[in-house]
């Protein structure tokens, strides 16, 4: 009697979950000015993201095909990154070969939601390609390097931090502090040179560093005396931050004939 041999086989399956949305309805909201990473799963996969513009109109759309295989010699069969409106109007498409980075300038409506679609245009029934990619959408901001800055360039020592009021304008338009720029100060207590640091924000970028002078208080003479003939004694209160004094004296009120005495 022939015995039948029994065989037992186990299979262990591994997979990577598709975490990117496959439709506009489930698209993940991404932030401006941020590099976003994604994974392409092949076999006709389409990934969707969405973002909302702010008050800006012009943007830099950067896309990178990190390692998704494409036929780089065939411009119609590439890894693609497209921006679309809510009604599926195509705004812009970046085409990237394997390991390629592409940057493009796009004009968009302010305060509007747009969608980013990512797909492999070389897909066919035998090969869809897998790998990783990244993209970002960043507003194009105006540099403040050519802005006009108005402020009092000379102030007098008070013993406290001095913060001259600042007015900033660009192409004749007055900008708003806290919205378009921020202001900070440095070395602005003691007599000498103080600085105003203006940093762009919102629609503006770049940093300006403007200087102003803090002059010492006018010295007041406490009293004068003549200890002997032809001599004069001047009594004054020395200020801590002053490193030296210059005393000028003359027998004439117009100081036409005068002498200067230096004292530390």
């Amino acid at each position: 009697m022939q015995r039948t041999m029994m065989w037992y086989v186990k299979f262990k399956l591994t997979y990577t979950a598709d975490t990117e949305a496959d439709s506009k309805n489930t698209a993940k909201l991404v932030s401006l000015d941020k590099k976003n990473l994604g994974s392409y799963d092949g076999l006709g996969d389409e990934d969707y993201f969405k973002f909302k513009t702010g008050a800006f109109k012009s943007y830099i759309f950067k896309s990178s095909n990190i390692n998704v295989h494409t036929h780089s010699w065939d411009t119609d069969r590439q890894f693609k990154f497209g921006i679309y409106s809510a009604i599926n109007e195509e705004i812009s498409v970046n085409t990237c070969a394997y390991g390629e980075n592409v940057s493009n300038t796009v004009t968009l409506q302010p305060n509007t939601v747009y969608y980013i679609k990512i797909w492999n245009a070389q897909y066919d029934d035998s090969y869809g390609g897998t790998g990783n990619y990244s993209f970002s959408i960043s507003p194009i901001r105006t540099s403040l390097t050519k802005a006009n800055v108005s402020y009092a360039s000379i102030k007098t020592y008070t013993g406290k931090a001095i913060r001259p009021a600042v007015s900033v304008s660009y192409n004749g338009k007055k900008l708003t502090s806290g919205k378009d720029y921020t202001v900070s100060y440095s070395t602005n207590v003691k007599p000498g040179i103080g600085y105003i640091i203006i940093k762009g924000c919102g629609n503006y970028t770049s940093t300006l560093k403007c200087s102003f002078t803090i002059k010492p208080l006018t010295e007041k003479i406490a009293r004068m005396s003549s200890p002997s003939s032809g001599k004069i004694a001047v009594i004054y209160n020395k200020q801590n931050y002053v490193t030296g004094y210059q005393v000028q004296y003359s027998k004439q009120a117009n100081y036409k004939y005068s002498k200067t005495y230096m004292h530390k």
Side-chain angles (χ1 to χ4, degrees):
M1 180 177 179
Q2 187 177 3
R3 298 181 62 183
T4 302
M5 181 70 71
M6 301 293 293
W7 295 90
Y8 299 91
V9 179
K10 288 184 177 181
F11 288 94
K12 184 178 181 180
L13 303 179
T14 61
Y15 69 97
T16 300
D18 185 3
T19 58
E20 289 76 28
D22 294 328
S23 70
K24 288 170 56 178
N25 294 334
T26 57
K28 175 185 176 182
L29 181 67
V30 296
S31 302
L32 302 177
D33 291 319
K34 180 182 178 182
K35 184 177 182 180
N36 301 280
L37 299 175
S39 176
Y40 186 74
D41 301 300
L43 300 178
D45 184 26
E46 292 183 352
D47 293 344
Y48 287 85
F49 300 85
K50 64 181 179 181
F51 66 93
K52 185 176 182 179
T53 58
F56 312 98
K57 293 183 179 180
S58 297
Y59 293 79
I60 295 293
F61 181 36
K62 294 183 179 180
S63 53
S64 174
N65 176 354
I66 299 174
N67 54 15
V68 179
H69 288 282
T70 63
H71 296 305
S72 59
W73 57 86
D74 186 347
T75 56
D76 293 328
R77 304 177 70 194
Q78 303 292 315
F79 199 59
K80 295 181 181 290
F81 300 76
I83 297 180
Y84 296 85
S85 69
I87 59 174
N88 212 35
E89 175 189 7
E90 183 180 289
I91 308 299
S92 177
V93 175
N94 288 352
T95 298
C96 298
Y98 182 94
E100 185 178 19
N101 300 314
V102 174
S103 179
N104 189 26
T105 301
V106 294
T107 301
L108 303 173
Q109 293 296 321
N111 303 309
T112 302
V113 174
Y114 288 89
Y115 294 86
I116 294 177
K117 173 186 173 183
I118 300 169
W119 75 102
N120 194 346
Q122 76 163 30
Y123 168 73
D124 55 36
D125 292 337
S126 61
Y127 178 70
T130 60
N132 303 300
Y133 59 83
S134 69
F135 67 90
S136 65
I137 183 82
S138 304
I140 298 177
R141 296 175 171 85
T142 302
S143 173
L144 288 178
T145 52
K146 295 184 178 180
N148 181 56
V149 182
S150 300
Y151 62 94
S153 60
I154 299 177
K155 304 293 284 186
T156 302
Y157 172 78
T158 63
K160 299 180 180 180
I162 296 177
R163 301 179 179 87
V166 174
S167 176
V168 182
S169 60
Y170 187 88
N171 284 344
K173 175 186 175 182
K174 186 176 181 180
L175 305 186
T176 303
S177 178
K179 177 184 176 183
D180 301 317
Y181 64 91
T182 60
V183 180
S184 60
Y185 301 85
S186 65
T187 62
N188 60 323
V189 177
K190 297 180 181 180
I193 303 298
Y195 294 96
I196 305 170
I197 298 91
I198 301 169
K199 187 175 182 179
C201 62
N203 291 340
Y204 297 87
T205 186
S206 300
T207 299
L208 305 178
K209 190 174 184 179
C210 307
S211 63
F212 63 96
T213 300
I214 302 176
K215 65 179 184 179
L217 292 170
T218 301
E219 189 60 69
K220 295 182 179 180
I221 298 175
R223 64 180 185 276
M224 296 174 58
S225 64
S226 180
S228 60
S229 177
K231 293 185 177 182
I232 185 173
V234 180
I235 310 300
Y236 55 86
N237 297 318
K238 185 177 180 180
Q239 301 180 57
N240 293 331
Y241 57 82
V242 175
T243 58
Y245 289 87
Q246 176 180 294
V247 180
Q248 186 180 25
Y249 60 95
S250 174
K251 293 183 178 180
Q252 298 180 342
N254 61 6
Y255 287 87
K256 184 176 182 179
Y257 302 101
S258 64
K259 293 185 178 181
T260 303
Y261 175 72
M262 302 298 295
H263 180 261
K264 293 184 178 180

